[in-house]
Amino acid sequence: MNTRTLGETAKVVTLRNNIIPESGDLVNALSAINSYLESKYQKEEFSGAVLVSKNNEILFNAGIGIANREHQIKCTHETKFRIGSITKQFTSMAIMMLSEQGFLSEGDRLAKFFPLCPYGESITIHHLLTHTSGIPNITQLQDFKKLMKEYTPLHISIELIMKLPLDFQPGSQFRYSNSGYLLLAYLIEMITGQSYEEFLIENIFSPLSMNSSGPDKYKEIILQRASGYEFDHKIGIVNSDFIDMSIASGGGNLLSTTEDLYKWELALTSNTLVSNKAMQRLFTDYGFGYGYGWFVKDELIYNKALKSVYHGGGIVGFKNRITRYLDEHVCIIVLNNLSTTDVDDVTNNIAKLIFQ
């Protein structure tokens, strides 16, 4: 199977709403980004959509590659990708909103909401948000590969998680765990009486006009949804394995577009949903390079120190990343439906072109 026969159909198919600046250097940088992504596609190292913004203006907005290879449907700014763990920043924002409304506090212990939880007195909401709870990742369940192919309601996932012994004393270590965000999603449901997805749609997506974002449910007909792909060393690019996204609720079950995530970026920049104080809590490094649903990092690009907050999102057939350079007001959104893509490398190379 020679995927390169897609040839010309893989080129940039949309580049709209661009703010073309007077600076020749930046115009050259945007052209270089376009050439770089096209080259990555031709080498079967990228397929997706990229948006770059600065000072709340879109600089680059393009789809490069194929959203569905069997039907030869191109990626565009409207293509909906599974965003994987980028979902976590919406969960953490929901928790901040409920905190400001007085329904909970990050210092609350799980026992307040889950009285039967065997370690409810030891773990706080803060621990769940920061991956320091010690609760093992749900992916460690013995039959997880079977479980991921079935519809798994949140309460069933929670029951399974709570049977697992802790990996370490809460607060003593950082160990990335989707289980904590499953618990947070269930907590949102318990407090609000809504499903996790209903709460996000009513309180985040609809107010921000993020009309192309929501849960990825395989039975539903979702227009513009991308298919996910993996790489087989014998065959080449193949369809990804099946997963019922219910197993990833709160931590990885959403889909979105580059333009919807740009609306999200605008809301974060303007403190639209919560106060500045709550926003600061989201982006604070709590000792392990992680805030609430965001990694926090000081980067060095061309000998210039840049503070970034970011999160990747890898899930069966998809690899994504959103990166925000806070002081420079630059946001780079990379969505991609090829699981072997190194999205960190793609993001870093785009950043170098922007900051050169």
Tab-separated table of all heavy atoms in Angstrom, residues 84-126:
chain	number	residue	atom	x	y	z
A	84	GLY	N	-8.087	13.784	22.566
A	84	GLY	CA	-7.419	13.024	23.623
A	84	GLY	C	-7.322	13.823	24.908
A	84	GLY	O	-8.279	14.473	25.352
A	85	SER	N	-6.139	13.849	25.496
A	85	SER	CA	-5.968	14.440	26.826
A	85	SER	C	-6.024	15.953	26.861
A	85	SER	O	-5.979	16.541	27.952
A	85	SER	CB	-4.647	13.956	27.441
A	85	SER	OG	-4.757	12.605	27.815
A	86	ILE	N	-6.151	16.605	25.708
A	86	ILE	CA	-6.474	18.038	25.729
A	86	ILE	C	-7.824	18.226	26.419
A	86	ILE	O	-8.118	19.286	26.970
A	86	ILE	CB	-6.467	18.613	24.297
A	86	ILE	CG1	-5.032	18.598	23.740
A	86	ILE	CG2	-7.022	20.033	24.258
A	86	ILE	CD1	-4.925	19.041	22.293
A	87	THR	N	-8.625	17.171	26.442
A	87	THR	CA	-9.896	17.166	27.174
A	87	THR	C	-9.707	17.594	28.622
A	87	THR	O	-10.586	18.235	29.216
A	87	THR	CB	-10.521	15.756	27.128
A	87	THR	OG1	-10.819	15.417	25.771
A	87	THR	CG2	-11.777	15.655	27.961
A	88	LYS	N	-8.571	17.246	29.218
A	88	LYS	CA	-8.370	17.493	30.646
A	88	LYS	C	-8.464	18.968	31.007
A	88	LYS	O	-8.874	19.312	32.114
A	88	LYS	CB	-7.022	16.905	31.090
A	88	LYS	CG	-6.992	15.385	31.079
A	88	LYS	CD	-5.639	14.843	31.526
A	88	LYS	CE	-5.691	13.323	31.687
A	88	LYS	NZ	-5.900	12.602	30.421
A	89	GLN	N	-8.082	19.861	30.078
A	89	GLN	CA	-8.151	21.282	30.420
A	89	GLN	C	-9.592	21.775	30.496
A	89	GLN	O	-9.885	22.731	31.219
A	89	GLN	CB	-7.331	22.122	29.460
A	89	GLN	CG	-7.680	21.999	28.014
A	89	GLN	CD	-6.527	22.438	27.118
A	89	GLN	OE1	-6.653	23.439	26.428
A	89	GLN	NE2	-5.424	21.708	27.144
A	90	PHE	N	-10.509	21.112	29.810
A	90	PHE	CA	-11.926	21.473	29.928
A	90	PHE	C	-12.496	20.949	31.250
A	90	PHE	O	-13.323	21.607	31.880
A	90	PHE	CB	-12.708	20.934	28.732
A	90	PHE	CG	-12.299	21.584	27.435
A	90	PHE	CD1	-11.452	20.936	26.554
A	90	PHE	CD2	-12.738	22.860	27.122
A	90	PHE	CE1	-11.054	21.539	25.369
A	90	PHE	CE2	-12.350	23.478	25.938
A	90	PHE	CZ	-11.501	22.817	25.064
A	91	THR	N	-12.028	19.780	31.656
A	91	THR	CA	-12.450	19.236	32.957
A	91	THR	C	-11.956	20.112	34.088
A	91	THR	O	-12.703	20.431	35.024
A	91	THR	CB	-11.922	17.799	33.120
A	91	THR	OG1	-12.377	16.997	32.034
A	91	THR	CG2	-12.396	17.193	34.432
A	92	SER	N	-10.699	20.522	34.027
A	92	SER	CA	-10.149	21.369	35.086
A	92	SER	C	-10.842	22.727	35.112
A	92	SER	O	-11.090	23.289	36.193
A	92	SER	CB	-8.631	21.527	34.916
A	92	SER	OG	-8.302	22.139	33.696
A	93	MET	N	-11.179	23.265	33.936
A	93	MET	CA	-11.920	24.532	33.907
A	93	MET	C	-13.292	24.355	34.545
A	93	MET	O	-13.761	25.230	35.304
A	93	MET	CB	-12.074	25.024	32.472
A	93	MET	CG	-12.918	26.285	32.330
A	93	MET	SD	-12.257	27.728	33.214
A	93	MET	CE	-10.983	28.247	32.042
A	94	ALA	N	-13.963	23.239	34.265
A	94	ALA	CA	-15.268	22.980	34.881
A	94	ALA	C	-15.157	22.949	36.404
A	94	ALA	O	-16.014	23.489	37.113
A	94	ALA	CB	-15.842	21.662	34.354
A	95	ILE	N	-14.097	22.337	36.906
A	95	ILE	CA	-13.876	22.287	38.351
A	95	ILE	C	-13.657	23.690	38.909
A	95	ILE	O	-14.181	24.050	39.975
A	95	ILE	CB	-12.678	21.375	38.684
A	95	ILE	CG1	-12.995	19.913	38.336
A	95	ILE	CG2	-12.291	21.506	40.167
A	95	ILE	CD1	-14.119	19.295	39.143
A	96	MET	N	-12.899	24.532	38.203
A	96	MET	CA	-12.677	25.911	38.645
A	96	MET	C	-14.000	26.683	38.666
A	96	MET	O	-14.241	27.494	39.574
A	96	MET	CB	-11.692	26.610	37.717
A	96	MET	CG	-10.251	26.155	37.817
A	96	MET	SD	-9.513	26.484	39.434
A	96	MET	CE	-9.692	24.871	40.207
A	97	MET	N	-14.842	26.451	37.686
A	97	MET	CA	-16.129	27.133	37.646
A	97	MET	C	-16.993	26.728	38.837
A	97	MET	O	-17.615	27.577	39.493
A	97	MET	CB	-16.835	26.817	36.324
A	97	MET	CG	-16.102	27.350	35.105
A	97	MET	SD	-16.808	26.794	33.528
A	97	MET	CE	-18.225	27.896	33.403
A	98	LEU	N	-17.012	25.434	39.146
A	98	LEU	CA	-17.793	24.951	40.287
A	98	LEU	C	-17.199	25.438	41.601
A	98	LEU	O	-17.924	25.708	42.567
A	98	LEU	CB	-17.863	23.422	40.266
A	98	LEU	CG	-18.675	22.820	39.114
A	98	LEU	CD1	-18.559	21.302	39.117
A	98	LEU	CD2	-20.137	23.249	39.192
A	99	SER	N	-15.879	25.580	41.631
A	99	SER	CA	-15.213	26.097	42.827
A	99	SER	C	-15.622	27.548	43.075
A	99	SER	O	-15.952	27.932	44.202
A	99	SER	CB	-13.692	25.996	42.663
A	99	SER	OG	-13.019	26.589	43.758
A	100	GLU	N	-15.621	28.360	42.011
A	100	GLU	CA	-15.987	29.770	42.172
A	100	GLU	C	-17.457	29.940	42.531
A	100	GLU	O	-17.838	30.930	43.148
A	100	GLU	CB	-15.661	30.538	40.895
A	100	GLU	CG	-14.168	30.702	40.659
A	100	GLU	CD	-13.822	31.942	39.855
A	100	GLU	OE1	-14.538	32.219	38.869
A	100	GLU	OE2	-12.847	32.611	40.217
A	101	GLN	N	-18.272	28.966	42.175
A	101	GLN	CA	-19.688	29.008	42.512
A	101	GLN	C	-19.967	28.427	43.901
A	101	GLN	O	-21.117	28.396	44.347
A	101	GLN	CB	-20.493	28.255	41.455
A	101	GLN	CG	-20.462	28.907	40.074
A	101	GLN	CD	-21.012	28.009	38.981
A	101	GLN	OE1	-21.766	27.088	39.244
A	101	GLN	NE2	-20.621	28.271	37.743
A	102	GLY	N	-18.921	27.959	44.568
A	102	GLY	CA	-19.046	27.494	45.942
A	102	GLY	C	-19.471	26.047	46.112
A	102	GLY	O	-19.772	25.612	47.228
A	103	PHE	N	-19.469	25.264	45.035
A	103	PHE	CA	-19.892	23.869	45.127
A	103	PHE	C	-18.796	22.953	45.653
A	103	PHE	O	-19.075	21.855	46.127
A	103	PHE	CB	-20.361	23.365	43.762
A	103	PHE	CG	-21.667	23.958	43.317
A	103	PHE	CD1	-21.702	24.951	42.354
A	103	PHE	CD2	-22.866	23.538	43.879
A	103	PHE	CE1	-22.903	25.506	41.939
A	103	PHE	CE2	-24.068	24.082	43.476
A	103	PHE	CZ	-24.091	25.077	42.506
A	104	LEU	N	-17.556	23.383	45.539
A	104	LEU	CA	-16.438	22.559	45.992
A	104	LEU	C	-15.213	23.433	46.179
A	104	LEU	O	-15.190	24.608	45.793
A	104	LEU	CB	-16.139	21.432	44.976
A	104	LEU	CG	-15.886	21.825	43.523
A	104	LEU	CD1	-14.457	22.322	43.289
A	104	LEU	CD2	-16.158	20.649	42.593
A	105	SER	N	-14.192	22.837	46.757
A	105	SER	CA	-12.890	23.479	46.898
A	105	SER	C	-11.821	22.462	46.504
A	105	SER	O	-12.009	21.255	46.702
A	105	SER	CB	-12.671	23.930	48.344
A	105	SER	OG	-11.316	24.307	48.552
A	106	GLU	N	-10.726	22.960	45.951
A	106	GLU	CA	-9.659	22.022	45.558
A	106	GLU	C	-9.119	21.243	46.744
A	106	GLU	O	-8.549	20.160	46.584
A	106	GLU	CB	-8.503	22.771	44.878
A	106	GLU	CG	-8.873	23.429	43.566
A	106	GLU	CD	-9.144	24.913	43.736
A	106	GLU	OE1	-10.177	25.262	44.339
A	106	GLU	OE2	-8.310	25.720	43.260
A	107	GLY	N	-9.279	21.778	47.931
A	107	GLY	CA	-8.795	21.091	49.129
A	107	GLY	C	-9.758	20.056	49.677
A	107	GLY	O	-9.423	19.330	50.620
A	108	ASP	N	-10.951	19.959	49.105
A	108	ASP	CA	-11.927	18.965	49.572
A	108	ASP	C	-11.401	17.552	49.380
A	108	ASP	O	-10.812	17.232	48.345
A	108	ASP	CB	-13.241	19.106	48.800
A	108	ASP	CG	-14.040	20.332	49.204
A	108	ASP	OD1	-13.780	20.876	50.291
A	108	ASP	OD2	-14.924	20.747	48.426
A	109	ARG	N	-11.652	16.717	50.367
A	109	ARG	CA	-11.249	15.311	50.267
A	109	ARG	C	-12.333	14.503	49.551
A	109	ARG	O	-13.520	14.844	49.616
A	109	ARG	CB	-10.963	14.741	51.658
A	109	ARG	CG	-9.842	15.494	52.371
A	109	ARG	CD	-9.423	14.867	53.678
A	109	ARG	NE	-8.368	15.668	54.311
A	109	ARG	CZ	-7.087	15.602	53.982
A	109	ARG	NH1	-6.697	14.763	53.033
A	109	ARG	NH2	-6.197	16.357	54.583
A	110	LEU	N	-11.910	13.437	48.911
A	110	LEU	CA	-12.853	12.627	48.143
A	110	LEU	C	-13.964	12.063	49.014
A	110	LEU	O	-15.078	11.840	48.553
A	110	LEU	CB	-12.120	11.476	47.442
A	110	LEU	CG	-11.178	11.813	46.291
A	110	LEU	CD1	-10.807	10.552	45.533
A	110	LEU	CD2	-11.804	12.823	45.347
A	111	ALA	N	-13.662	11.827	50.293
A	111	ALA	CA	-14.660	11.247	51.194
A	111	ALA	C	-15.918	12.113	51.277
A	111	ALA	O	-17.019	11.600	51.534
A	111	ALA	CB	-14.057	11.072	52.584
A	112	LYS	N	-15.775	13.408	51.036
A	112	LYS	CA	-16.926	14.319	51.085
A	112	LYS	C	-17.941	13.957	50.009
A	112	LYS	O	-19.154	14.125	50.212
A	112	LYS	CB	-16.439	15.753	50.900
A	112	LYS	CG	-17.543	16.789	50.905
A	112	LYS	CD	-16.963	18.197	50.783
A	112	LYS	CE	-18.070	19.253	50.751
A	112	LYS	NZ	-17.506	20.629	50.647
A	113	PHE	N	-17.460	13.457	48.882
A	113	PHE	CA	-18.327	13.147	47.747
A	113	PHE	C	-18.459	11.645	47.503
A	113	PHE	O	-19.459	11.184	46.968
A	113	PHE	CB	-17.787	13.813	46.483
A	113	PHE	CG	-17.537	15.284	46.632
A	113	PHE	CD1	-16.268	15.763	46.895
A	113	PHE	CD2	-18.585	16.185	46.532
A	113	PHE	CE1	-16.036	17.129	47.047
A	113	PHE	CE2	-18.369	17.548	46.681
A	113	PHE	CZ	-17.088	18.022	46.946
A	114	PHE	N	-17.442	10.896	47.899
A	114	PHE	CA	-17.419	9.445	47.704
A	114	PHE	C	-17.171	8.777	49.058
A	114	PHE	O	-16.048	8.360	49.359
A	114	PHE	CB	-16.313	9.044	46.716
A	114	PHE	CG	-16.397	9.723	45.377
A	114	PHE	CD1	-15.580	10.801	45.081
A	114	PHE	CD2	-17.288	9.274	44.416
A	114	PHE	CE1	-15.643	11.424	43.847
A	114	PHE	CE2	-17.364	9.895	43.174
A	114	PHE	CZ	-16.546	10.972	42.892
A	115	PRO	N	-18.197	8.708	49.917
A	115	PRO	CA	-17.989	8.195	51.279
A	115	PRO	C	-17.510	6.752	51.329
A	115	PRO	O	-16.901	6.345	52.331
A	115	PRO	CB	-19.378	8.344	51.920
A	115	PRO	CG	-20.339	8.482	50.784
A	115	PRO	CD	-19.583	9.141	49.689
A	116	LEU	N	-17.739	5.979	50.275
A	116	LEU	CA	-17.307	4.578	50.270
A	116	LEU	C	-15.922	4.399	49.652
A	116	LEU	O	-15.411	3.272	49.590
A	116	LEU	CB	-18.324	3.722	49.505
A	116	LEU	CG	-19.748	3.698	50.070
A	116	LEU	CD1	-20.645	2.799	49.224
A	116	LEU	CD2	-19.748	3.233	51.526
A	117	CYS	N	-15.308	5.483	49.234
A	117	CYS	CA	-13.975	5.387	48.630
A	117	CYS	C	-12.969	4.947	49.690
A	117	CYS	O	-12.867	5.586	50.753
A	117	CYS	CB	-13.557	6.737	48.058
A	117	CYS	SG	-11.911	6.745	47.328
A	118	PRO	N	-12.222	3.876	49.455
A	118	PRO	CA	-11.324	3.339	50.488
A	118	PRO	C	-10.193	4.292	50.884
A	118	PRO	O	-9.634	4.171	51.964
A	118	PRO	CB	-10.769	2.060	49.844
A	118	PRO	CG	-10.956	2.250	48.378
A	118	PRO	CD	-12.208	3.058	48.234
A	119	TYR	N	-9.852	5.231	50.020
A	119	TYR	CA	-8.782	6.190	50.342
A	119	TYR	C	-9.326	7.630	50.283
A	119	TYR	O	-8.584	8.568	50.016
A	119	TYR	CB	-7.600	6.023	49.394
A	119	TYR	CG	-7.972	5.621	47.975
A	119	TYR	CD1	-8.611	6.513	47.105
A	119	TYR	CD2	-7.712	4.333	47.508
A	119	TYR	CE1	-8.964	6.135	45.827
A	119	TYR	CE2	-8.066	3.955	46.212
A	119	TYR	CZ	-8.686	4.860	45.378
A	119	TYR	OH	-9.044	4.490	44.097
A	120	GLY	N	-10.618	7.759	50.562
A	120	GLY	CA	-11.283	9.052	50.442
A	120	GLY	C	-10.766	10.133	51.368
A	120	GLY	O	-10.856	11.319	51.054
A	121	GLU	N	-10.234	9.744	52.518
A	121	GLU	CA	-9.720	10.735	53.471
A	121	GLU	C	-8.316	11.201	53.115
A	121	GLU	O	-7.834	12.201	53.647
A	121	GLU	CB	-9.730	10.161	54.895
A	121	GLU	CG	-11.109	9.915	55.472
A	121	GLU	CD	-11.886	11.213	55.695
A	121	GLU	OE1	-11.251	12.296	55.748
A	121	GLU	OE2	-13.127	11.143	55.823
A	122	SER	N	-7.642	10.486	52.232
A	122	SER	CA	-6.248	10.801	51.911
A	122	SER	C	-6.080	11.641	50.653
A	122	SER	O	-5.059	12.308	50.478
A	122	SER	CB	-5.444	9.495	51.724
A	122	SER	OG	-5.522	8.683	52.865
A	123	ILE	N	-7.079	11.606	49.772
A	123	ILE	CA	-6.944	12.239	48.459
A	123	ILE	C	-7.874	13.437	48.331
A	123	ILE	O	-9.047	13.372	48.707
A	123	ILE	CB	-7.245	11.214	47.349
A	123	ILE	CG1	-6.193	10.102	47.353
A	123	ILE	CG2	-7.277	11.885	45.979
A	123	ILE	CD1	-6.480	8.989	46.382
A	124	THR	N	-7.338	14.534	47.816
A	124	THR	CA	-8.111	15.750	47.603
A	124	THR	C	-8.369	15.958	46.105
A	124	THR	O	-7.748	15.321	45.252
A	124	THR	CB	-7.372	16.977	48.144
A	124	THR	OG1	-6.153	17.159	47.382
A	124	THR	CG2	-7.034	16.809	49.616
A	125	ILE	N	-9.257	16.893	45.803
A	125	ILE	CA	-9.504	17.261	44.409
A	125	ILE	C	-8.219	17.794	43.779
A	125	ILE	O	-7.931	17.529	42.607
A	125	ILE	CB	-10.652	18.296	44.327
A	125	ILE	CG1	-11.975	17.647	44.741
A	125	ILE	CG2	-10.751	18.895	42.929
A	125	ILE	CD1	-13.141	18.609	44.821
A	126	HIS	N	-7.448	18.527	44.558
A	126	HIS	CA	-6.152	19.030	44.065
A	126	HIS	C	-5.265	17.879	43.594
A	126	HIS	O	-4.616	17.970	42.547
A	126	HIS	CB	-5.449	19.810	45.180
A	126	HIS	CG	-4.039	20.199	44.864
A	126	HIS	ND1	-3.712	21.326	44.143
A	126	HIS	CD2	-2.862	19.581	45.163
A	126	HIS	CE1	-2.400	21.397	44.009
A	126	HIS	NE2	-1.862	20.359	44.623
